[in-house]
Amino acid sequence: PRPVRFIGFSTDGLVLEIFCYVNVSDNNEFLRIQQDLMLKILDAAEDLGIFFAIPSQTFLSHEAPPSVA
């Protein structure tokens, strides 16, 4: 398969699929490599002037009125 594919749209943006094969047996080493790859992808995007919008949610809360005694 191609290493990067555009596979669709979501409510949060464009969906890309990135293939990376990591041939290690130690899970901690895998997680370190995975993080390094993701940070390098973010750095490369920033170098190209690409910025990612971070989805957010707003929670509104209203205080109950004080009870009348």
Side-chain angles (χ1 to χ4, degrees):
R2 293 183 179 176
V4 178
R5 295 188 312 162
F6 172 51
I7 60 173
F9 300 94
S10 76
T11 56
D12 297 322
L14 307 175
V15 181
L16 300 175
E17 185 172 66
I18 301 173
F19 290 90
C20 298
Y21 298 96
V22 180
N23 188 19
V24 295
S25 57
D26 179 61
N27 190 54
N28 288 327
E29 184 178 4
F30 169 79
L31 292 174
R32 184 192 59 74
I33 292 169
Q34 180 186 44
Q35 175 178 284
D36 188 52
L37 286 169
M38 289 189 285
L39 291 172
K40 286 180 180 181
I41 290 168
L42 289 177
D43 288 343
E46 186 177 341
D47 290 346
L48 294 169
I50 299 170
F51 297 94
F52 298 96
I54 305 299
S56 65
Q57 295 180 350
T58 303
F59 176 77
L60 300 176
S61 176
H62 299 282
E63 285 187 34
S67 59
V68 179

